[in-house]
Amino acid sequence: MEINIPKVGDILTGTVVRVTQEEVLVDVGYMFEGTIYKNHLTSKKIADANELFKIGDEIKAKVTKISHGDNNNILLLSRLDLEKIAIRDKYKDELLINSNVLAKVKRLNPGGIELDYHSIELFLPNSLIDISELNAEQKQALVGQDLLVKIIEIRKERGKDKFIVNRKQLLFDDLKAQEKTELKALVVGEVVKGIVSNITDFGAFVKLSDHLEGLIHISELSQYHIKHVTDVLSIGDEVTAKLIKISGKRVSLSMKALQENPWNVFLEKYKVGDKVTGTVVKKMQFGMLLEIEREISGLLNRFDYSWDPQDNLAGKVEVGSLIEVEITSINPAKQQFTLSKKHLQYNPWADLKLKVGELVSATVKSFVEKGAIVEIAEVEGFLPIGEIQDDRVNRMEDVLKIGDVLTVEVLSFFAKEWKLVVSLKRVQEKKNRKEYETQLKENVSS
């Protein structure tokens, strides 16, 4: 009878003839029994080989070592490879395209990560590990961990199936699902809190939850004009804002909506007739804008500069100058109000009633090139050089002195324009005419 001599790697089927705590002896039809040590019976940890087999059990094993001699016959068997194959065959059917499996990270290689799924090797390329790129330290931290991956490709390499998996897609899908859940919990109009995570020229991004951010546009930072976002916020600041819009996954927030409107504050604080101090913020042809409160400006029309129509207030002040004025009107609907400086001053011309031809008393105040300035009832009038006397006057000082009190006749009077022109010559002419007429009557009577 020819005896087949087993070789290393052969798979033999035999019968258990002896079982101890540490080993199992198997009759495989050879000259001597094969031995399977406890740690080669299964990959699982067991305390006693009797837990798995008993005498008479049929067993299949792989030859790992064989030698024979006079006193040294060795036939070592192992079931580990067969167990791996059985497990692989069992779970291989689960590895279908688009199926998700939980696998353990075995090792890293330059191209990605090698994972083990019930003794079946899976490969996870570097580009498919995570949503964001991981550094070497972060990748190393994954070794030994169980990762949920998706089978995306099965290749044939050297007669074996190579399973390519994707973790990035699962993380992305999970992120989207969590974003959707968190987004559903938000309600337009509610007040939320968050931490400023990023600042751009157009606004600030605020982290509202683990996966959601909202944007506060620069126009929604304050009720006042903001030039730079960093004037108001810094990264890491905690903010409270109102949720004003949700469009898709874009969340719009407003800090301004929680602040009191400056115009309403102005209306509560001021009323028509109040005396206020404003800062000149803009000079125009028809007037000036005065800021009374921050970014709340009213119009000071040029006709309200002064009762004196010749007074050029705009020429006396610059942008930034302070002017005391009175609020003369407020239009809440248009958010506009007007101001007046002249209403804080007494108008001496308002009560002055003069008629052309009327004789009034005047005091010489000063001399100008073409006449003299005279004071009449607390206002200033003009006495032209040609209205002083009939004879030519070259120098005012030759005929008048400062402080002289004169009786003059009103030639013209325009109270609104602050214009009053008088004549000394006409008073003298009337006086001379009266004296002449009196003398003439006496002569006629005689």
Side-chain angles (χ1 to χ4, degrees):
M1 180 178 176
E2 184 179 351
I3 299 175
N4 292 324
I5 300 175
K7 303 185 292 298
V8 172
D10 286 350
I11 296 174
L12 306 177
T13 301
T15 304
V16 175
V17 296
R18 182 184 175 193
V19 181
T20 69
Q21 182 177 349
E22 297 297 327
E23 62 186 19
V24 172
L25 296 182
V26 183
D27 180 5
V28 293
Y30 189 53
M31 294 181 295
F32 48 86
E33 291 88 5
T35 302
I36 308 176
Y37 291 111
K38 180 177 67 175
N39 59 348
H40 279 270
L41 285 172
T42 179
S43 58
K44 300 175 183 178
K45 289 185 179 182
I46 57 172
D48 191 333
N50 289 285
E51 296 177 21
L52 297 178
F53 296 101
K54 62 183 184 297
I55 295 173
D57 285 347
E58 186 177 87
I59 193 169
K60 186 183 284 189
K62 185 178 181 179
V63 178
T64 58
K65 184 176 182 181
I66 182 170
S67 63
H68 50 83
D70 295 336
N71 298 313
N72 188 20
N73 297 319
I74 299 175
L75 177 59
L76 296 182
L77 306 173
S78 173
R79 295 186 69 254
L80 296 182
D81 286 351
L82 298 180
E83 186 182 68
K84 287 181 180 180
I85 292 171
I87 293 172
R88 186 183 297 117
D89 291 342
K90 176 182 177 182
Y91 289 101
K92 194 173 182 179
D93 293 339
E94 298 179 4
L95 299 179
L96 303 175
I97 297 293
N98 291 326
S99 61
N100 298 338
V101 294
L102 192 64
K104 185 180 292 292
V105 177
K106 291 197 302 182
R107 66 182 71 87
L108 308 179
N109 67 40
I113 294 177
E114 296 176 13
L115 302 98
D116 178 77
Y117 179 71
H118 300 291
S119 301
I120 303 170
E121 185 176 290
L122 313 178
F123 180 65
L124 177 59
N126 283 328
S127 61
L128 302 178
I129 296 175
D130 205 299
I131 295 174
S132 56
E133 187 175 350
L134 302 182
N135 57 37
E137 184 178 346
Q138 290 171 322
K139 287 172 62 177
Q140 187 62 45
L142 295 176
V143 175
Q145 293 189 28
D146 290 328
L147 302 181
L148 184 66
V149 294
K150 179 187 286 290
I151 309 297
I152 60 171
E153 185 181 357
I154 302 175
R155 301 175 187 167
K156 283 288 184 182
E157 290 189 3
R158 298 176 184 177
K160 294 183 179 180
D161 290 335
K162 183 173 183 180
F163 298 92
I164 310 299
V165 297
N166 185 339
R167 177 172 176 257
K168 180 179 181 179
Q169 184 62 47
L170 295 180
L171 292 176
F172 183 79
D173 292 342
D174 182 58
L175 174 64
K176 292 302 173 186
Q178 293 186 56
E179 282 182 353
K180 190 174 182 180
T181 300
E182 293 172 4
L183 199 60
K184 281 186 176 180
L186 296 178
V187 179
V188 173
E190 70 177 345
V191 176
V192 295
K193 289 187 177 182
I195 303 297
V196 178
S197 57
N198 189 28
I199 289 178
T200 67
D201 291 339
F202 58 83
F205 287 94
V206 178
K207 191 170 182 62
L208 300 174
S209 59
D210 291 339
H211 306 94
L212 275 187
E213 280 189 335
L215 171 66
I216 307 177
H217 192 270
I218 189 169
S219 62
E220 294 294 335
L221 286 174
S222 173
Q223 292 283 355
Y224 302 105
H225 176 68
I226 302 297
K227 289 185 178 179
H228 306 288
V229 180
T230 49
D231 293 340
V232 179
L233 294 175
S234 301
I235 292 177
D237 285 352
E238 182 179 33
V239 298
T240 300
K242 186 175 183 179
L243 203 163
I244 57 175
K245 186 179 180 182
I246 299 176
S247 177
K249 66 176 184 178
R250 295 176 61 183
V251 178
S252 299
L253 306 172
S254 173
M255 291 170 59
K256 180 173 76 173
L258 299 180
Q259 301 166 1
E260 194 165 7
N261 188 309
W263 177 251
N264 293 336
V265 175
F266 174 82
L267 292 178
E268 293 174 3
K269 188 174 180 180
Y270 300 100
K271 62 183 183 299
V272 172
D274 284 353
K275 183 168 67 175
V276 295
T277 299
T279 303
V280 178
V281 292
K282 188 175 183 180
K283 295 169 67 176
M284 301 165 290
Q285 184 177 0
F286 56 85
M288 292 182 280
L289 287 179
L290 271 59
E291 186 178 63
I292 305 304
E293 294 286 341
R294 181 181 174 184
E295 296 186 17
I296 300 295
S297 300
L299 174 65
L300 174 59
N301 193 290
R302 64 186 181 89
F303 295 115
D304 285 303
Y305 288 170
S306 172
W307 293 111
D308 184 354
Q310 306 304 318
D311 186 359
N312 183 21
L313 178 65
K316 301 176 184 176
V317 298
E318 300 294 336
V319 172
S321 298
L322 296 178
I323 302 177
E324 191 173 50
V325 290
E326 179 182 311
I327 298 175
T328 51
S329 72
I330 298 177
N331 188 330
K334 293 185 178 181
Q335 295 190 2
Q336 296 174 347
F337 62 100
T338 58
L339 305 166
S340 172
K341 186 175 186 301
K342 72 181 184 182
H343 279 74
L344 296 178
Q345 304 165 345
Y346 169 66
N347 182 9
W349 293 74
D351 300 323
L352 189 61
K353 307 296 181 184
L354 294 176
K355 295 179 181 179
V356 173
E358 183 178 351
L359 301 182
V360 294
S361 177
T363 303
V364 178
K365 301 288 290 182
S366 62
F367 298 132
V368 292
E369 182 180 356
K370 295 182 179 181
I373 302 299
V374 294
E375 183 179 299
I376 302 168
E378 298 184 359
V379 303
E380 290 184 347
F382 179 58
L383 173 58
I385 192 170
E387 293 295 331
I388 295 177
Q389 61 185 30
D390 287 330
D391 296 334
R392 179 181 176 82
V393 177
N394 294 319
R395 296 175 67 248
M396 300 293 295
E397 295 86 344
D398 294 340
V399 292
L400 295 175
K401 296 190 294 295
I402 302 298
D404 281 354
V405 178
L406 311 172
T407 298
V408 293
E409 181 181 323
V410 177
L411 293 183
S412 62
F413 174 63
F414 300 98
K416 288 185 177 180
E417 298 179 16
W418 277 32
K419 287 184 178 180
L420 173 59
V421 180
V422 296
S423 172
L424 178 61
K425 179 175 69 175
R426 293 197 180 189
V427 174
Q428 189 61 44
E429 287 176 350
K430 285 184 178 181
K431 182 180 179 181
N432 291 340
R433 185 180 299 112
K434 186 176 181 180
E435 289 179 353
Y436 170 76
E437 290 176 351
T438 300
Q439 186 177 5
L440 181 61
K441 285 181 181 181
E442 290 178 353
N443 290 337
V444 171
S445 174
S446 299

